[in-house]
Amino acid sequence: MAAQKSAQSAQSAHAKPAPDSTRRSEKSRRAIYDAALALVVEVGYPKTTIEGIAARAGVGKQTIYRWWSSKADVLMEAFLDLGEQSLREAGPVPYAFPDTGDLAADVKNVLRATVDQLRDPRFEAPSRALAAEGVVNEQLGRELVAKLMQPSLDLYVGRLRAAQDAGQVRPDVDPRIALELFVSPLAQRWLQHTGPISYEYTDTLVEYALHGLAPR
């Protein structure tokens, strides 16, 4: 009996620890993100499939369907994750819109962070692919706005309303329309390659938007 217990103890000591399912799941999730973003760049959104993502990631497609209901959901989450990575690497940037009391400076800082993200090679190719598909695929376009753009736009609205409360912006200004003076020209220039995007460009957008074009 003692020998049996001793053998069992020795066996337990040499037994391998149980695999960490949480770590394995996170590794699979990251592989799926990477595969989805790579495929949408290489073959385009219409030809990207759950089967293709699964094969590229080295997982079964049932793993993907356990976490997401469609390729659109996979890509949206992968893209959101990519944006969050970029923001973390850049340091303390606008998860919350900065409010130093200087509206022009705050908007310039946020737009500069946006320029950095748009010029990040990891971000640029997949975002262009999704944006292009969103133009012709109305459902995808609406999802892009709701899941990717709207949270950022809401931050602009909140900051502009705070500026209204502080008397820095006219009370009759619609913040949702006003924010487009900052973000829409940048998006158009980036998407259509109508000119370079830079800090100087976005700083100028802010000056023109806040002060207008008429002589001061």
Side-chain angles (χ1 to χ4, degrees), residues 94 96-115 152-153 155-163 168-169 175 178-186 198-199 201-210:
F97 209 106
D99 187 349
T100 65
D102 185 336
L103 177 62
D106 293 342
V107 176
K108 287 178 182 179
N109 284 336
V110 171
L111 288 174
R112 286 184 173 207
T114 304
V115 167
S152 295
L153 298 180
L155 293 177
Y156 275 92
V157 169
R159 182 64 186 88
L160 288 167
R161 284 180 175 156
Q168 298 170 339
V169 172
L179 69 86
E180 294 180 4
L181 299 174
F182 308 122
V183 301
S184 295
L186 174 60
S198 64
Y199 294 167
Y201 171 66
T202 53
D203 285 356
T204 302
L205 285 180
V206 174
E207 292 296 321
Y208 286 0
L210 293 182

Side-chain angles (χ1 to χ4, degrees), residues 115-127:
V115 167
D116 289 340
Q117 189 177 61
L118 292 175
R119 294 194 300 200
D120 184 335
R122 299 171 303 166
F123 179 93
E124 182 173 13
S127 59

Side-chain angles (χ1 to χ4, degrees), residues 10-211:
Q11 186 177 17
S12 298
H14 290 88
K16 293 181 179 180
D20 186 338
S21 60
T22 302
R23 174 182 284 180
R24 186 171 64 245
S25 295
E26 180 60 20
K27 183 178 179 181
S28 296
R29 187 181 295 273
R30 302 227 66 83
I32 292 166
Y33 286 163
D34 293 343
L37 293 172
L39 281 173
V40 80
V41 173
E42 293 172 13
V43 303
Y45 180 85
K47 293 183 179 180
T48 297
T49 63
I50 292 291
E51 291 76 11
I53 295 171
R56 181 75 168 254
V59 302
K61 66 178 182 180
Q62 69 275 10
T63 298
I64 296 180
Y65 281 119
R66 186 164 66 245
W67 292 332
W68 300 281
S69 61
S70 68
K71 69 177 182 181
D73 289 338
V74 179
L75 283 162
M76 292 293 178
E77 189 170 312
F79 201 70
L80 284 169
D81 178 77
L82 180 64
E84 290 171 0
Q85 286 184 59
S86 178
L87 288 173
R88 285 194 298 269
E89 292 167 6
V93 288
Y95 276 105
F97 209 106
D99 187 349
T100 65
D102 185 336
L103 177 62
D106 293 342
V107 176
K108 287 178 182 179
N109 284 336
V110 171
L111 288 174
R112 286 184 173 207
T114 304
V115 167
D116 289 340
Q117 189 177 61
L118 292 175
R119 294 194 300 200
D120 184 335
R122 299 171 303 166
F123 179 93
E124 182 173 13
S127 59
R128 284 190 183 280
L130 285 173
E133 180 63 21
V135 172
V136 297
N137 182 332
E138 182 178 354
Q139 180 179 352
L140 178 65
R142 290 184 181 279
E143 289 186 25
L144 282 169
V145 171
K147 295 182 179 179
L148 299 180
M149 296 179 62
Q150 195 58 52
S152 295
L153 298 180
D154 289 343
L155 293 177
Y156 275 92
V157 169
R159 182 64 186 88
L160 288 167
R161 284 180 175 156
Q164 286 177 315
D165 293 340
Q168 298 170 339
V169 172
R170 295 199 326 262
D172 60 305
V173 166
D174 183 333
R176 183 57 184 79
I177 295 175
L179 69 86
E180 294 180 4
L181 299 174
F182 308 122
V183 301
S184 295
L186 174 60
Q188 180 183 18
R189 178 174 279 212
W190 177 74
L191 283 170
Q192 299 181 357
H193 303 284
T194 56
I197 61 172
S198 64
Y199 294 167
E200 292 76 17
Y201 171 66
T202 53
D203 285 356
T204 302
L205 285 180
V206 174
E207 292 296 321
Y208 286 0
L210 293 182
H211 302 297

